[in-house]
Structure formats: C-alpha cells, structure tokens
C-alpha cells in the first residue's frame, strides 16, 4: 500500500472498511471520517499503535487521546460507567459529538490517557467510522488527524495535505458535518465540567444539571486544551470587523456574514448568519486562507452563545498561536 492512499468510503464502503480494518488489526494507524472532524485512529489497546499516533502527529505525550467506541457496552470495556448523570448523557447524545471523561479500566494503556486515571470516551455517529468499529470490534484511540497544534481536518484532502506522507491510508467519507471537535464534559458529583465547547452546546447540557465552564485554569483536567491551538501557519488576529484595516492586499479575512472588499483573500462563514453552517465551514475556510498568498489573517469575532461560543473558542486559540 502506498503512503497516503485515499479510498472513497462512500463509493465503495466494503472495500474501504476492509482495508482499514486489516491495517488496524496489524497495529497501523488510519485516518477516518467522523461527524466532527477527521480522526487518526489506532487500536486503543495496542501501545505500539497508540505510539504511532503520537509520532505521526508529532504530538507531545502529555496530551491524551479520546477513545472511540461502538456503543455503551463497548464503553463499559474501557471505562467505569456508574453514575446516573453519565447514563442520561449517553442516552441523549450517543452516538454523536459528546465526549465524556470517565474512570478508566486497565484495558486502556496509560499512554492513551497520558497517565491520567480518567479516559475520554465517545461514540461517533459517522457511518464509515461506525462500520470500521463494527468490523474491528475493538475501541479506537483517535485524535484529530492534523499535525499537532494545526487546524483540524474536515475533509480527506486536509488530512492528505497535513499527514499524507506519514500514514498509509485515509478513508474519504465526505466533509465532516459539524466541523468542530466534540464537546468534552467531566461529570463530577452531579455537576458537569465543560472542558471543551463543541457541537453539543452548553445550553443543551444545562438541561442535565449545573454546568461549570472550565477555562484556561482547567488545563490540569484537559492538558490538551492548550491556549494556543488550531493555529494556521500565518499569524491570525481577531477583529470586530474590517473597519479601517489598511493592509488588505497582503491579508486574508474570515468574515461571519458579509464579504468585505479589498482583501487578497476572504471567506464568509455563513451569509445567513447560521451558526451550524458557520461551524461546518470554519476549518475549511481557515485551511484556504492559510494556503492563500497572504501574510496574515484577520478573523471576525463571532457573536453569541451556544455553537457561536464554540466557534469563538477555536478562533481565540488560533489567534493565541501566532
Ligand atoms: O471530535 C473529536 O473529539 C475528534 C474526533 C476525531 O473524534 N477528536 C479530537 O481529539 O478532537 P483531539 O485529540 O484532537 O482532542 C482531544 C482533547 C484534547 O484536548 C485532550 O487533551 C482531551 O481531549 N483529552 C483526551 N483524553 C483526556 C483525558 N483522559 N483527560 C483530560 N482530557 C483529555
Ligand atoms: Mg485536535
């Protein structure tokens, strides 16, 4: 198999899933589509496979990986599920973009959790990822399939450009529907600690109990939630609007609703101001601006709560990376 081979998993799912499962069984890593972003998957119980994930991404070992499971029963094999709040969350949001921190079992190597006694678990809804989990019948560790600290991939082509020379196979399952990484929560004593904002919004979680947003101070709980993350190669600056920006011929502009004039490159997240559409477009727009002949990128601050807050979180981190 050639390095960075891309198989169309929508056109010929059986062949694509079979090749992916063969490689995963052999302890290799494979990029797979999920409904949030593309993931770089390896057998969560195989330390060598997990080590390959860290190596391909150039990811520091203090940043733990999410374990992806088929269903609640497989989650039981990797974590202890015993509180009522957790059960209600899984019932409501799985399969889907919610990751839950739970006490880990011994089947999960400490390399996966960076030594933590908690493991992050989620059950993705993307049919291609689910077909691989079903055929393999093993949990998969999978971080986003981008070089560490860079923009997350929402298409197979993003993965190929970022990691194509380091991994054997990429399954193309179309553009990721949500376009933002999963929401991460830690249920503790009846309270939900929100460690990463994502497609399941804070407002939705509040129906299940009090939610505490764990910001920068939460680094200890989620070591990978570094302030600087999701960064394009170009410096990114947050702005309130195009206003009087003067260096437009050298700059790219990421707009929320309205296309600005005069910039060397510009992207509009959602002309109708729909946060769902904006989230789905975010990383692809950043990838395009990063590839454009510009020296810097201006990104408009995104208003509001819910998904808007999750998008703004990614932009703030991208700006911190400059
Ligand atoms: O949507 C997603 O969650 C995607 C897809 C592929 O599933 N995955 C993803 O993984 O975004 P990654 O590795 O890029 O981000 C996972 C985050 C990191 O910030 C990491 O620190 C945190 O989850 N995390 C993972 N395991 C943890 C643990 N045991 N304790 C605390 N934080 C954890
Ligand atoms: Mg990531």
């Amino acid at each position: 198999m050639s390095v960075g081979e891309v198989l169309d998993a929508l056109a010929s799912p059986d062949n694509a899933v079979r090749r992916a499962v063969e490689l995963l069984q052999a302890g290799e890593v494979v990029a797979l589509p999920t409904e949030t972003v593309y993931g770089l998957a390896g057998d969560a119980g195989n330390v060598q496979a997990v080590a390959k994930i860290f190596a391909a991404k150039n990811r520091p070992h203090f940043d733990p990986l999410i374990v992806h499971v088929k269903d609640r029963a497989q989650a039981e094999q990797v974590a202890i599920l015993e509180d009522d709040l957790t059960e209600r969350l899984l019932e409501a949001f799985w399969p889907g973009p919610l990751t839950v921190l739970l006490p880990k079992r011994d089947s999960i190597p400490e390399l996966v959790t960076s030594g933590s006694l908690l493991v992050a678990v989620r059950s993705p809804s993307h049919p291609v990822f689910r077909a691989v989990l079903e055929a393999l019948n093993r949990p998969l560790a999978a971080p986003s399939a981008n070089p560490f600290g860079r923009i997350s991939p929402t298409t197979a082509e993003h993965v190929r450009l970022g990691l194509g020379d380091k991994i054997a196979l990429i399954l193309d399952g179309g553009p990721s529907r949500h376009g933002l990484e999963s929401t991460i929560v830690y249920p503790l004593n009846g309270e939900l600690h929100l460690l990463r904002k994502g497609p399941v919004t804070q407002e939705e979680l509040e129906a299940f109990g009090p939610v505490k947003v764990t910001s920068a101070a939460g680094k200890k709980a989620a070591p990978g939630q570094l302030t600087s993350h999701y960064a394009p190669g170009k410096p990114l600056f947050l702005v309130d609007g195009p206003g009087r920006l003067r260096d437009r011929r050298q700059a790219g502009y990421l707009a929320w609703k309205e296309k600005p004039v005069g910039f060397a490159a510009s992207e509009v997240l959602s002309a109708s101001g729909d946060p769902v559409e904006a989230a789905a477009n975010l990383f692809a727009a950043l990838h395009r601006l990063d590839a454009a002949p510009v020296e810097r990128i201006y990104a408009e601050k995104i208003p509001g709560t819910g998904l808007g807050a999750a998008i703004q979180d990614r932009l703030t981190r991208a700006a911190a990376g400059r």
Side-chain angles (χ1 to χ4, degrees), residues 32-40 57 59 62-68 97-99 101-102 112-114 116-122 124 129 142-146 152 180-184 195-196 199 219-226 229-230:
L32 300 174
T34 90
E35 72 280 19
T36 58
V37 299
Y38 274 67
L40 182 60
K57 277 185 62 98
R59 180 177 174 120
F62 61 75
D63 193 1
L65 307 180
I66 295 174
V67 174
H68 297 66
L98 183 74
T99 297
L101 281 185
L102 297 164
V112 171
T113 64
S114 303
S116 170
L117 299 177
L118 299 175
V119 60
V121 190
R122 101 169 178 98
F129 203 115
S144 50
N146 51 302
S152 288
L180 287 183
E181 303 85 348
S182 62
T183 304
I184 305 181
L195 302 185
R196 179 170 74 184
K219 271 185 195 161
K220 268 191 230 117
Q225 287 304 87
L226 304 174
H229 222 78
Y230 313 103

Side-chain angles (χ1 to χ4, degrees), residues 91-114:
E91 185 65 36
F93 297 110
W94 276 16
L98 183 74
T99 297
V100 185
L101 281 185
L102 297 164
K104 88 173 196 68
R105 292 194 195 273
D106 292 341
S107 62
I108 294 301
E110 283 194 11
L111 182 56
V112 171
T113 64
S114 303

Side-chain angles (χ1 to χ4, degrees), residues 96-180:
L98 183 74
T99 297
V100 185
L101 281 185
L102 297 164
K104 88 173 196 68
R105 292 194 195 273
D106 292 341
S107 62
I108 294 301
E110 283 194 11
L111 182 56
V112 171
T113 64
S114 303
S116 170
L117 299 177
L118 299 175
V119 60
V121 190
R122 101 169 178 98
S123 186
S125 65
H126 195 290
V128 173
F129 203 115
R130 295 195 67 76
V132 172
L133 281 173
E134 196 65 49
L136 184 70
N137 200 24
R138 304 264 307 155
L140 287 171
S144 50
N146 51 302
F148 180 70
R150 306 312 291 267
I151 307 166
S152 288
T154 54
T155 64
E157 179 62 5
H158 294 156
V159 181
R160 198 183 61 76
L161 291 172
L163 295 177
D165 57 344
K166 302 203 174 61
I167 58 181
L169 179 64
I170 301 164
L171 294 197
D172 187 346
S176 297
R177 184 158 60 90
H178 293 298
L180 287 183

